[in-house]
Amino acid sequence: MEQGWDPEVKRFFLRIINTVSWGLLWLMACATAGLYFQLAYGRGIYTVIFYVLMAASFLLLLRFFYNTWKNN
């Protein structure tokens, strides 16, 4: 069945799947850490550390997305 697939289309769909899956994984990890472990609420220095790490990891995720979509 894959004999009719263009390799470029396959790479494009893999990029889409990787982007969505890594984005959802990041979102679920942040939601779990913030809600389940109650780091998103005002509890002192741990809340600040949580949001700084969340912002830093989001910037790294955006950098990963940029590099993924920049390379053809």
Short mmCIF file of all heavy atoms in Angstrom, two decimals:
data_model
loop_
_atom_site.label_atom_id
_atom_site.label_comp_id
_atom_site.label_asym_id
_atom_site.label_seq_id
_atom_site.Cartn_x
_atom_site.Cartn_y
_atom_site.Cartn_z
N MET A 1 0.82 -1.19 0.00
CA MET A 1 0.00 0.00 0.00
C MET A 1 0.86 1.26 0.00
O MET A 1 0.48 2.26 -0.53
CB MET A 1 -0.91 -0.01 1.22
CG MET A 1 -1.80 1.19 1.29
SD MET A 1 -3.01 0.97 2.58
CE MET A 1 -3.71 2.58 2.58
N GLU A 2 2.05 1.20 0.59
CA GLU A 2 2.89 2.38 0.65
C GLU A 2 3.65 2.62 -0.65
O GLU A 2 4.41 3.57 -0.74
CB GLU A 2 3.89 2.26 1.80
CG GLU A 2 3.27 2.49 3.14
CD GLU A 2 4.34 2.72 4.18
OE1 GLU A 2 5.40 3.27 3.85
OE2 GLU A 2 4.10 2.34 5.32
N GLN A 3 3.45 1.81 -1.64
CA GLN A 3 4.19 1.99 -2.88
C GLN A 3 3.76 3.27 -3.60
O GLN A 3 4.55 3.86 -4.31
CB GLN A 3 3.97 0.79 -3.79
CG GLN A 3 4.58 -0.47 -3.24
CD GLN A 3 4.25 -1.67 -4.11
OE1 GLN A 3 3.51 -1.57 -5.08
NE2 GLN A 3 4.78 -2.82 -3.74
N GLY A 4 2.55 3.74 -3.38
CA GLY A 4 2.07 4.94 -4.04
C GLY A 4 2.37 6.21 -3.28
O GLY A 4 2.11 7.30 -3.76
N TRP A 5 2.94 6.12 -2.08
CA TRP A 5 3.21 7.30 -1.26
C TRP A 5 4.46 8.01 -1.76
O TRP A 5 5.48 7.40 -2.03
CB TRP A 5 3.44 6.91 0.20
CG TRP A 5 2.18 6.68 0.93
CD1 TRP A 5 1.35 5.61 0.83
CD2 TRP A 5 1.59 7.54 1.90
NE1 TRP A 5 0.29 5.75 1.67
CE2 TRP A 5 0.41 6.93 2.35
CE3 TRP A 5 1.95 8.76 2.43
CZ2 TRP A 5 -0.41 7.51 3.30
CZ3 TRP A 5 1.14 9.34 3.38
CH2 TRP A 5 -0.04 8.72 3.79
N ASP A 6 4.36 9.30 -1.84
CA ASP A 6 5.52 10.12 -2.15
C ASP A 6 6.34 10.30 -0.87
O ASP A 6 5.78 10.59 0.18
CB ASP A 6 5.04 11.48 -2.67
CG ASP A 6 6.17 12.37 -3.13
OD1 ASP A 6 7.24 11.83 -3.45
OD2 ASP A 6 5.96 13.60 -3.18
N PRO A 7 7.64 10.11 -0.92
CA PRO A 7 8.45 10.25 0.30
C PRO A 7 8.35 11.64 0.93
O PRO A 7 8.43 11.78 2.15
CB PRO A 7 9.88 9.97 -0.17
CG PRO A 7 9.74 9.23 -1.45
CD PRO A 7 8.45 9.65 -2.05
N GLU A 8 8.17 12.67 0.12
CA GLU A 8 8.05 14.02 0.65
C GLU A 8 6.76 14.19 1.45
O GLU A 8 6.75 14.83 2.50
CB GLU A 8 8.08 15.03 -0.50
CG GLU A 8 8.12 16.46 -0.06
CD GLU A 8 9.41 16.82 0.67
OE1 GLU A 8 10.45 16.22 0.38
OE2 GLU A 8 9.35 17.71 1.54
N VAL A 9 5.69 13.58 0.99
CA VAL A 9 4.41 13.64 1.72
C VAL A 9 4.53 12.89 3.04
O VAL A 9 4.02 13.36 4.07
CB VAL A 9 3.27 13.06 0.85
CG1 VAL A 9 1.98 12.95 1.64
CG2 VAL A 9 3.07 13.92 -0.38
N LYS A 10 5.21 11.76 3.01
CA LYS A 10 5.41 10.99 4.24
C LYS A 10 6.19 11.79 5.27
O LYS A 10 5.83 11.82 6.45
CB LYS A 10 6.12 9.68 3.91
CG LYS A 10 6.26 8.76 5.08
CD LYS A 10 6.91 7.46 4.67
CE LYS A 10 7.04 6.53 5.85
NZ LYS A 10 7.66 5.26 5.49
N ARG A 11 7.26 12.46 4.84
CA ARG A 11 8.04 13.29 5.77
C ARG A 11 7.21 14.46 6.30
O ARG A 11 7.33 14.84 7.46
CB ARG A 11 9.29 13.81 5.08
CG ARG A 11 10.38 12.76 4.96
CD ARG A 11 11.70 13.38 4.55
NE ARG A 11 11.65 13.98 3.22
CZ ARG A 11 11.98 13.34 2.10
NH1 ARG A 11 12.39 12.10 2.15
NH2 ARG A 11 11.90 13.96 0.94
N PHE A 12 6.36 15.03 5.44
CA PHE A 12 5.49 16.13 5.87
C PHE A 12 4.52 15.68 6.94
O PHE A 12 4.34 16.36 7.96
CB PHE A 12 4.74 16.69 4.65
CG PHE A 12 3.86 17.85 4.98
CD1 PHE A 12 4.40 19.09 5.28
CD2 PHE A 12 2.49 17.71 4.96
CE1 PHE A 12 3.60 20.16 5.57
CE2 PHE A 12 1.66 18.78 5.26
CZ PHE A 12 2.23 20.01 5.56
N PHE A 13 3.88 14.54 6.75
CA PHE A 13 2.94 14.02 7.74
C PHE A 13 3.66 13.64 9.04
O PHE A 13 3.10 13.82 10.13
CB PHE A 13 2.16 12.82 7.21
CG PHE A 13 1.02 13.22 6.30
CD1 PHE A 13 0.86 12.61 5.08
CD2 PHE A 13 0.12 14.20 6.68
CE1 PHE A 13 -0.18 12.97 4.24
CE2 PHE A 13 -0.92 14.57 5.86
CZ PHE A 13 -1.07 13.96 4.63
N LEU A 14 4.87 13.13 8.95
CA LEU A 14 5.63 12.83 10.16
C LEU A 14 5.96 14.10 10.94
O LEU A 14 5.94 14.10 12.16
CB LEU A 14 6.91 12.07 9.81
CG LEU A 14 6.73 10.60 9.48
CD1 LEU A 14 8.05 9.98 9.04
CD2 LEU A 14 6.17 9.85 10.67
N ARG A 15 6.25 15.17 10.23
CA ARG A 15 6.47 16.46 10.91
C ARG A 15 5.22 16.92 11.63
O ARG A 15 5.29 17.41 12.76
CB ARG A 15 6.87 17.53 9.91
CG ARG A 15 8.29 17.47 9.49
CD ARG A 15 8.58 18.69 8.65
NE ARG A 15 9.70 18.42 7.78
CZ ARG A 15 10.03 19.17 6.76
NH1 ARG A 15 9.31 20.23 6.47
NH2 ARG A 15 11.06 18.88 6.03
N ILE A 16 4.08 16.79 10.97
CA ILE A 16 2.82 17.20 11.61
C ILE A 16 2.56 16.36 12.85
O ILE A 16 2.21 16.89 13.92
CB ILE A 16 1.65 17.08 10.60
CG1 ILE A 16 1.80 18.10 9.50
CG2 ILE A 16 0.31 17.25 11.31
CD1 ILE A 16 0.80 17.94 8.37
N ILE A 17 2.72 15.05 12.75
CA ILE A 17 2.46 14.16 13.89
C ILE A 17 3.43 14.45 15.02
O ILE A 17 3.03 14.50 16.20
CB ILE A 17 2.54 12.68 13.43
CG1 ILE A 17 1.36 12.35 12.53
CG2 ILE A 17 2.59 11.74 14.62
CD1 ILE A 17 1.47 11.02 11.84
N ASN A 18 4.70 14.67 14.71
CA ASN A 18 5.68 15.00 15.76
C ASN A 18 5.36 16.32 16.44
O ASN A 18 5.48 16.45 17.66
CB ASN A 18 7.09 15.04 15.18
CG ASN A 18 7.67 13.66 15.00
OD1 ASN A 18 7.31 12.75 15.72
ND2 ASN A 18 8.55 13.53 14.03
N THR A 19 4.96 17.32 15.67
CA THR A 19 4.63 18.62 16.24
C THR A 19 3.45 18.52 17.19
O THR A 19 3.48 19.03 18.32
CB THR A 19 4.33 19.63 15.12
OG1 THR A 19 5.48 19.74 14.26
CG2 THR A 19 4.00 20.99 15.69
N VAL A 20 2.40 17.86 16.75
CA VAL A 20 1.20 17.72 17.60
C VAL A 20 1.49 16.88 18.83
O VAL A 20 1.10 17.24 19.95
CB VAL A 20 0.03 17.13 16.78
CG1 VAL A 20 -1.13 16.76 17.67
CG2 VAL A 20 -0.41 18.11 15.70
N SER A 21 2.20 15.78 18.66
CA SER A 21 2.45 14.89 19.81
C SER A 21 3.37 15.54 20.83
O SER A 21 3.12 15.43 22.04
CB SER A 21 3.00 13.55 19.34
OG SER A 21 4.24 13.72 18.70
N TRP A 22 4.44 16.21 20.41
CA TRP A 22 5.32 16.87 21.37
C TRP A 22 4.61 18.03 22.05
O TRP A 22 4.82 18.28 23.24
CB TRP A 22 6.60 17.35 20.70
CG TRP A 22 7.60 16.26 20.53
CD1 TRP A 22 7.96 15.65 19.38
CD2 TRP A 22 8.36 15.62 21.56
NE1 TRP A 22 8.90 14.68 19.62
CE2 TRP A 22 9.17 14.65 20.96
CE3 TRP A 22 8.43 15.80 22.94
CZ2 TRP A 22 10.02 13.85 21.68
CZ3 TRP A 22 9.30 15.00 23.66
CH2 TRP A 22 10.09 14.03 23.03
N GLY A 23 3.77 18.74 21.31
CA GLY A 23 3.01 19.83 21.92
C GLY A 23 2.03 19.33 22.97
O GLY A 23 1.91 19.91 24.06
N LEU A 24 1.33 18.25 22.67
CA LEU A 24 0.39 17.69 23.64
C LEU A 24 1.12 17.09 24.85
O LEU A 24 0.63 17.20 25.97
CB LEU A 24 -0.48 16.63 22.98
CG LEU A 24 -1.57 17.15 22.05
CD1 LEU A 24 -2.28 15.98 21.37
CD2 LEU A 24 -2.56 18.00 22.81
N LEU A 25 2.26 16.48 24.62
CA LEU A 25 3.05 15.94 25.73
C LEU A 25 3.50 17.06 26.66
O LEU A 25 3.41 16.94 27.88
CB LEU A 25 4.25 15.16 25.20
CG LEU A 25 5.14 14.53 26.26
CD1 LEU A 25 4.38 13.42 26.99
CD2 LEU A 25 6.39 13.98 25.63
N TRP A 26 3.97 18.18 26.09
CA TRP A 26 4.38 19.31 26.91
C TRP A 26 3.19 19.87 27.69
O TRP A 26 3.30 20.15 28.88
CB TRP A 26 4.98 20.41 26.03
CG TRP A 26 5.33 21.63 26.80
CD1 TRP A 26 6.47 21.85 27.50
CD2 TRP A 26 4.51 22.79 26.99
NE1 TRP A 26 6.42 23.08 28.10
CE2 TRP A 26 5.23 23.68 27.81
CE3 TRP A 26 3.26 23.16 26.55
CZ2 TRP A 26 4.73 24.91 28.19
CZ3 TRP A 26 2.75 24.39 26.92
CH2 TRP A 26 3.48 25.25 27.74
N LEU A 27 2.05 19.99 27.02
CA LEU A 27 0.86 20.52 27.67
C LEU A 27 0.39 19.63 28.81
O LEU A 27 0.06 20.12 29.90
CB LEU A 27 -0.26 20.70 26.64
CG LEU A 27 -1.53 21.38 27.10
CD1 LEU A 27 -1.24 22.83 27.46
CD2 LEU A 27 -2.56 21.33 26.00
N MET A 28 0.37 18.32 28.59
CA MET A 28 -0.06 17.40 29.65
C MET A 28 0.93 17.38 30.82
O MET A 28 0.52 17.29 31.98
CB MET A 28 -0.23 15.99 29.08
CG MET A 28 -1.45 15.86 28.20
SD MET A 28 -1.82 14.18 27.68
CE MET A 28 -0.32 13.66 26.92
N ALA A 29 2.22 17.48 30.53
CA ALA A 29 3.21 17.51 31.60
C ALA A 29 3.06 18.77 32.45
O ALA A 29 3.13 18.71 33.68
CB ALA A 29 4.62 17.42 31.01
N CYS A 30 2.84 19.90 31.81
CA CYS A 30 2.67 21.16 32.56
C CYS A 30 1.36 21.15 33.35
O CYS A 30 1.32 21.59 34.50
CB CYS A 30 2.69 22.34 31.61
SG CYS A 30 4.32 22.68 30.94
N ALA A 31 0.31 20.63 32.75
CA ALA A 31 -0.97 20.57 33.47
C ALA A 31 -0.89 19.60 34.65
O ALA A 31 -1.42 19.89 35.73
CB ALA A 31 -2.08 20.14 32.52
N THR A 32 -0.22 18.48 34.47
CA THR A 32 -0.07 17.52 35.56
C THR A 32 0.74 18.11 36.70
O THR A 32 0.35 18.03 37.87
CB THR A 32 0.60 16.23 35.05
OG1 THR A 32 -0.23 15.66 34.04
CG2 THR A 32 0.79 15.24 36.18
N ALA A 33 1.86 18.72 36.35
CA ALA A 33 2.71 19.30 37.40
C ALA A 33 2.00 20.46 38.08
O ALA A 33 2.10 20.64 39.29
CB ALA A 33 4.03 19.76 36.80
N GLY A 34 1.27 21.24 37.32
CA GLY A 34 0.62 22.41 37.90
C GLY A 34 -0.61 22.09 38.72
O GLY A 34 -0.81 22.66 39.80
N LEU A 35 -1.43 21.17 38.26
CA LEU A 35 -2.68 20.88 38.95
C LEU A 35 -2.56 19.74 39.95
O LEU A 35 -3.00 19.86 41.10
CB LEU A 35 -3.78 20.57 37.93
CG LEU A 35 -4.13 21.73 36.99
CD1 LEU A 35 -5.13 21.27 35.95
CD2 LEU A 35 -4.64 22.91 37.76
N TYR A 36 -1.98 18.63 39.53
CA TYR A 36 -1.92 17.47 40.42
C TYR A 36 -0.97 17.72 41.59
O TYR A 36 -1.29 17.40 42.73
CB TYR A 36 -1.48 16.24 39.63
CG TYR A 36 -1.46 14.97 40.45
CD1 TYR A 36 -2.65 14.34 40.80
CD2 TYR A 36 -0.27 14.42 40.88
CE1 TYR A 36 -2.64 13.18 41.56
CE2 TYR A 36 -0.25 13.27 41.63
CZ TYR A 36 -1.45 12.65 41.98
OH TYR A 36 -1.43 11.51 42.73
N PHE A 37 0.18 18.30 41.30
CA PHE A 37 1.15 18.58 42.36
C PHE A 37 0.95 19.97 42.96
O PHE A 37 1.74 20.40 43.79
CB PHE A 37 2.58 18.43 41.84
CG PHE A 37 2.90 17.04 41.37
CD1 PHE A 37 3.27 16.81 40.06
CD2 PHE A 37 2.83 15.97 42.23
CE1 PHE A 37 3.57 15.53 39.62
CE2 PHE A 37 3.12 14.68 41.80
CZ PHE A 37 3.49 14.46 40.49
N GLN A 38 -0.06 20.67 42.51
CA GLN A 38 -0.47 21.99 43.02
C GLN A 38 0.66 23.01 42.97
O GLN A 38 0.85 23.80 43.88
CB GLN A 38 -1.03 21.86 44.43
CG GLN A 38 -2.26 21.02 44.50
CD GLN A 38 -2.79 20.86 45.91
OE1 GLN A 38 -2.15 21.27 46.87
NE2 GLN A 38 -3.96 20.26 46.03
N LEU A 39 1.41 23.01 41.87
CA LEU A 39 2.48 23.98 41.69
C LEU A 39 1.99 25.25 41.01
O LEU A 39 2.69 26.26 41.01
CB LEU A 39 3.62 23.37 40.89
CG LEU A 39 4.36 22.22 41.55
CD1 LEU A 39 5.35 21.60 40.58
CD2 LEU A 39 5.07 22.70 42.80
N ALA A 40 0.82 25.23 40.42
CA ALA A 40 0.31 26.39 39.71
C ALA A 40 -0.34 27.40 40.64
O ALA A 40 -0.64 28.51 40.23
CB ALA A 40 -0.71 25.94 38.65
N TYR A 41 -0.57 27.02 41.87
CA TYR A 41 -1.21 27.91 42.83
C TYR A 41 -0.14 28.69 43.59
O TYR A 41 1.00 28.25 43.70
CB TYR A 41 -2.07 27.12 43.82
CG TYR A 41 -3.03 26.17 43.14
CD1 TYR A 41 -3.00 24.82 43.40
CD2 TYR A 41 -3.97 26.64 42.22
CE1 TYR A 41 -3.87 23.95 42.79
CE2 TYR A 41 -4.84 25.78 41.60
CZ TYR A 41 -4.80 24.44 41.88
OH TYR A 41 -5.66 23.58 41.26
N GLY A 42 -0.53 29.81 44.17
CA GLY A 42 0.41 30.64 44.91
C GLY A 42 0.89 29.99 46.19
O GLY A 42 0.23 30.08 47.22
N ARG A 43 2.01 29.31 46.15
CA ARG A 43 2.55 28.62 47.32
C ARG A 43 4.00 29.01 47.58
O ARG A 43 4.76 28.24 48.12
CB ARG A 43 2.47 27.11 47.14
CG ARG A 43 1.07 26.61 46.97
CD ARG A 43 0.88 25.43 47.85
NE ARG A 43 -0.46 24.89 47.61
CZ ARG A 43 -1.29 24.62 48.57
NH1 ARG A 43 -0.96 24.82 49.81
NH2 ARG A 43 -2.47 24.12 48.29
N GLY A 44 4.41 30.19 47.12
CA GLY A 44 5.76 30.63 47.41
C GLY A 44 6.72 30.43 46.26
O GLY A 44 6.37 30.56 45.09
N ILE A 45 7.94 30.08 46.60
CA ILE A 45 9.02 29.99 45.63
C ILE A 45 8.82 28.84 44.64
O ILE A 45 9.25 28.92 43.49
CB ILE A 45 10.39 29.89 46.33
CG1 ILE A 45 11.54 30.05 45.34
CG2 ILE A 45 10.52 28.55 47.05
CD1 ILE A 45 11.68 31.44 44.82
N TYR A 46 8.12 27.77 45.03
CA TYR A 46 7.90 26.65 44.13
C TYR A 46 7.03 27.04 42.95
O TYR A 46 7.22 26.55 41.84
CB TYR A 46 7.29 25.47 44.88
CG TYR A 46 8.21 24.89 45.91
CD1 TYR A 46 7.89 24.92 47.26
CD2 TYR A 46 9.42 24.32 45.54
CE1 TYR A 46 8.74 24.40 48.22
CE2 TYR A 46 10.28 23.79 46.48
CZ TYR A 46 9.93 23.84 47.82
OH TYR A 46 10.80 23.32 48.75
N THR A 47 6.10 27.94 43.16
CA THR A 47 5.25 28.41 42.07
C THR A 47 6.07 29.21 41.07
O THR A 47 5.91 29.05 39.86
CB THR A 47 4.10 29.27 42.63
OG1 THR A 47 3.37 28.50 43.56
CG2 THR A 47 3.19 29.74 41.52
N VAL A 48 6.95 30.05 41.56
CA VAL A 48 7.81 30.84 40.68
C VAL A 48 8.73 29.93 39.88
O VAL A 48 8.89 30.10 38.66
CB VAL A 48 8.62 31.86 41.50
CG1 VAL A 48 9.61 32.60 40.62
CG2 VAL A 48 7.70 32.83 42.22
N ILE A 49 9.32 28.97 40.54
CA ILE A 49 10.20 28.01 39.84
C ILE A 49 9.43 27.24 38.78
O ILE A 49 9.91 27.02 37.67
CB ILE A 49 10.88 27.06 40.85
CG1 ILE A 49 11.86 27.84 41.72
CG2 ILE A 49 11.59 25.92 40.15
CD1 ILE A 49 12.40 27.04 42.89
N PHE A 50 8.21 26.82 39.12
CA PHE A 50 7.38 26.08 38.17
C PHE A 50 7.12 26.90 36.91
O PHE A 50 7.27 26.41 35.80
CB PHE A 50 6.05 25.67 38.82
CG PHE A 50 5.03 25.17 37.85
CD1 PHE A 50 5.20 23.95 37.22
CD2 PHE A 50 3.90 25.92 37.56
CE1 PHE A 50 4.26 23.48 36.33
CE2 PHE A 50 2.96 25.46 36.67
CZ PHE A 50 3.14 24.23 36.05
N TYR A 51 6.72 28.17 37.08
CA TYR A 51 6.41 28.99 35.92
C TYR A 51 7.65 29.37 35.12
O TYR A 51 7.58 29.46 33.89
CB TYR A 51 5.63 30.25 36.35
CG TYR A 51 4.17 29.95 36.60
CD1 TYR A 51 3.63 30.07 37.87
CD2 TYR A 51 3.34 29.54 35.58
CE1 TYR A 51 2.30 29.79 38.11
CE2 TYR A 51 2.01 29.25 35.79
CZ TYR A 51 1.50 29.38 37.07
OH TYR A 51 0.18 29.10 37.29
N VAL A 52 8.77 29.55 35.77
CA VAL A 52 10.01 29.82 35.04
C VAL A 52 10.42 28.60 34.21
O VAL A 52 10.78 28.72 33.04
CB VAL A 52 11.13 30.24 36.01
CG1 VAL A 52 12.49 30.22 35.34
CG2 VAL A 52 10.84 31.61 36.59
N LEU A 53 10.34 27.42 34.81
CA LEU A 53 10.67 26.19 34.08
C LEU A 53 9.67 25.92 32.96
O LEU A 53 10.05 25.44 31.89
CB LEU A 53 10.74 25.00 35.03
CG LEU A 53 11.95 24.97 35.95
CD1 LEU A 53 11.86 23.78 36.90
CD2 LEU A 53 13.23 24.91 35.14
N MET A 54 8.40 26.24 33.20
CA MET A 54 7.40 26.05 32.17
C MET A 54 7.66 26.98 30.98
O MET A 54 7.59 26.56 29.82
CB MET A 54 6.00 26.30 32.73
CG MET A 54 4.89 25.87 31.82
SD MET A 54 3.27 25.98 32.57
CE MET A 54 2.90 27.68 32.27
N ALA A 55 8.00 28.23 31.24
CA ALA A 55 8.30 29.18 30.17
C ALA A 55 9.57 28.78 29.41
O ALA A 55 9.62 28.84 28.18
CB ALA A 55 8.44 30.58 30.73
N ALA A 56 10.59 28.34 30.16
CA ALA A 56 11.84 27.92 29.52
C ALA A 56 11.63 26.68 28.65
O ALA A 56 12.14 26.61 27.52
CB ALA A 56 12.91 27.65 30.57
N SER A 57 10.86 25.73 29.16
CA SER A 57 10.60 24.53 28.37
C SER A 57 9.74 24.85 27.15
O SER A 57 9.89 24.23 26.09
CB SER A 57 9.96 23.44 29.22
OG SER A 57 8.66 23.82 29.63
N PHE A 58 8.85 25.82 27.26
CA PHE A 58 8.04 26.23 26.11
C PHE A 58 8.92 26.87 25.03
O PHE A 58 8.73 26.61 23.84
CB PHE A 58 6.93 27.18 26.54
CG PHE A 58 6.03 27.59 25.40
CD1 PHE A 58 5.19 26.67 24.81
CD2 PHE A 58 6.03 28.88 24.93
CE1 PHE A 58 4.36 27.03 23.75
CE2 PHE A 58 5.21 29.26 23.89
CZ PHE A 58 4.37 28.33 23.30
N LEU A 59 9.87 27.68 25.44
CA LEU A 59 10.78 28.28 24.47
C LEU A 59 11.64 27.21 23.79
O LEU A 59 11.89 27.29 22.58
CB LEU A 59 11.66 29.32 25.15
CG LEU A 59 10.93 30.58 25.60
CD1 LEU A 59 11.88 31.50 26.35
CD2 LEU A 59 10.29 31.30 24.43
N LEU A 60 12.07 26.21 24.55
CA LEU A 60 12.82 25.10 23.94
C LEU A 60 11.94 24.31 22.99
O LEU A 60 12.41 23.85 21.94
CB LEU A 60 13.39 24.20 25.03
CG LEU A 60 14.54 24.78 25.84
CD1 LEU A 60 14.90 23.85 26.99
CD2 LEU A 60 15.74 25.04 24.95
N LEU A 61 10.67 24.14 23.34
CA LEU A 61 9.75 23.43 22.46
C LEU A 61 9.53 24.21 21.17
O LEU A 61 9.53 23.63 20.07
CB LEU A 61 8.41 23.21 23.17
CG LEU A 61 7.35 22.43 22.41
CD1 LEU A 61 7.76 20.97 22.29
CD2 LEU A 61 6.01 22.55 23.11
N LEU A 62 9.40 25.53 21.26
CA LEU A 62 9.26 26.36 20.06
C LEU A 62 10.51 26.30 19.19
O LEU A 62 10.43 26.27 17.96
CB LEU A 62 8.94 27.80 20.44
CG LEU A 62 7.54 28.06 20.98
CD1 LEU A 62 7.39 29.52 21.32
CD2 LEU A 62 6.48 27.62 20.00
N ARG A 63 11.68 26.27 19.84
CA ARG A 63 12.92 26.14 19.09
C ARG A 63 13.00 24.81 18.37
O ARG A 63 13.43 24.73 17.22
CB ARG A 63 14.09 26.29 20.05
CG ARG A 63 15.43 26.23 19.40
CD ARG A 63 16.52 26.48 20.41
NE ARG A 63 17.76 25.99 19.88
CZ ARG A 63 18.73 25.50 20.60
NH1 ARG A 63 18.62 25.45 21.90
NH2 ARG A 63 19.83 25.07 20.04
N PHE A 64 12.55 23.75 19.03
CA PHE A 64 12.50 22.43 18.40
C PHE A 64 11.55 22.43 17.21
O PHE A 64 11.87 21.89 16.15
CB PHE A 64 12.07 21.38 19.43
CG PHE A 64 11.80 20.03 18.85
CD1 PHE A 64 12.84 19.23 18.43
CD2 PHE A 64 10.50 19.56 18.73
CE1 PHE A 64 12.60 17.98 17.88
CE2 PHE A 64 10.25 18.32 18.19
CZ PHE A 64 11.30 17.53 17.77
N PHE A 65 10.38 23.05 17.37
CA PHE A 65 9.43 23.15 16.26
C PHE A 65 10.02 23.94 15.09
O PHE A 65 9.86 23.56 13.93
CB PHE A 65 8.13 23.80 16.70
CG PHE A 65 7.28 22.95 17.60
CD1 PHE A 65 6.27 23.53 18.35
CD2 PHE A 65 7.46 21.59 17.70
CE1 PHE A 65 5.48 22.75 19.17
CE2 PHE A 65 6.68 20.81 18.51
CZ PHE A 65 5.68 21.40 19.25
N TYR A 66 10.69 25.03 15.40
CA TYR A 66 11.29 25.85 14.34
C TYR A 66 12.33 25.05 13.57
O TYR A 66 12.36 25.07 12.34
CB TYR A 66 11.91 27.11 14.94
CG TYR A 66 12.60 27.96 13.93
CD1 TYR A 66 11.88 28.75 13.04
CD2 TYR A 66 14.00 27.98 13.85
CE1 TYR A 66 12.52 29.52 12.10
CE2 TYR A 66 14.64 28.75 12.90
CZ TYR A 66 13.90 29.53 12.04
OH TYR A 66 14.54 30.29 11.10
N ASN A 67 13.20 24.35 14.29
CA ASN A 67 14.23 23.54 13.62
C ASN A 67 13.62 22.38 12.85
O ASN A 67 14.14 21.99 11.81
CB ASN A 67 15.24 23.04 14.64
CG ASN A 67 16.13 24.14 15.14
OD1 ASN A 67 16.35 25.14 14.46
ND2 ASN A 67 16.64 23.99 16.34
N THR A 68 12.55 21.82 13.36
CA THR A 68 11.89 20.72 12.66
C THR A 68 11.29 21.19 11.33
O THR A 68 11.42 20.52 10.31
CB THR A 68 10.79 20.11 13.54
OG1 THR A 68 11.37 19.61 14.72
CG2 THR A 68 10.07 18.98 12.81
N TRP A 69 10.65 22.32 11.35
CA TRP A 69 9.98 22.81 10.14
C TRP A 69 10.90 23.58 9.22
O TRP A 69 10.59 23.76 8.03
CB TRP A 69 8.78 23.65 10.54
CG TRP A 69 7.66 22.80 10.99
CD1 TRP A 69 7.35 22.46 12.27
CD2 TRP A 69 6.71 22.12 10.18
NE1 TRP A 69 6.28 21.62 12.29
CE2 TRP A 69 5.86 21.40 11.02
CE3 TRP A 69 6.49 22.06 8.80
CZ2 TRP A 69 4.81 20.63 10.55
CZ3 TRP A 69 5.44 21.28 8.32
CH2 TRP A 69 4.63 20.59 9.20
N LYS A 70 12.05 24.04 9.71
CA LYS A 70 12.99 24.75 8.87
C LYS A 70 13.71 23.80 7.92
O LYS A 70 13.94 24.13 6.76
CB LYS A 70 14.01 25.50 9.74
CG LYS A 70 14.95 26.37 8.95
CD LYS A 70 15.88 27.11 9.87
CE LYS A 70 17.10 26.26 10.08
NZ LYS A 70 18.18 26.98 10.77
N ASN A 71 14.07 22.63 8.43
CA ASN A 71 14.80 21.65 7.60
C ASN A 71 13.84 20.99 6.64
O ASN A 71 12.84 20.43 7.01
CB ASN A 71 15.45 20.60 8.50
CG ASN A 71 16.44 21.20 9.45
OD1 ASN A 71 17.02 22.22 9.16
ND2 ASN A 71 16.62 20.57 10.59
N ASN A 72 14.20 21.03 5.37
CA ASN A 72 13.33 20.39 4.37
C ASN A 72 13.81 19.02 4.09
O ASN A 72 14.58 18.55 3.52
CB ASN A 72 13.24 21.23 3.10
CG ASN A 72 12.36 22.44 3.34
OD1 ASN A 72 11.46 22.40 4.15
ND2 ASN A 72 12.65 23.50 2.66
#
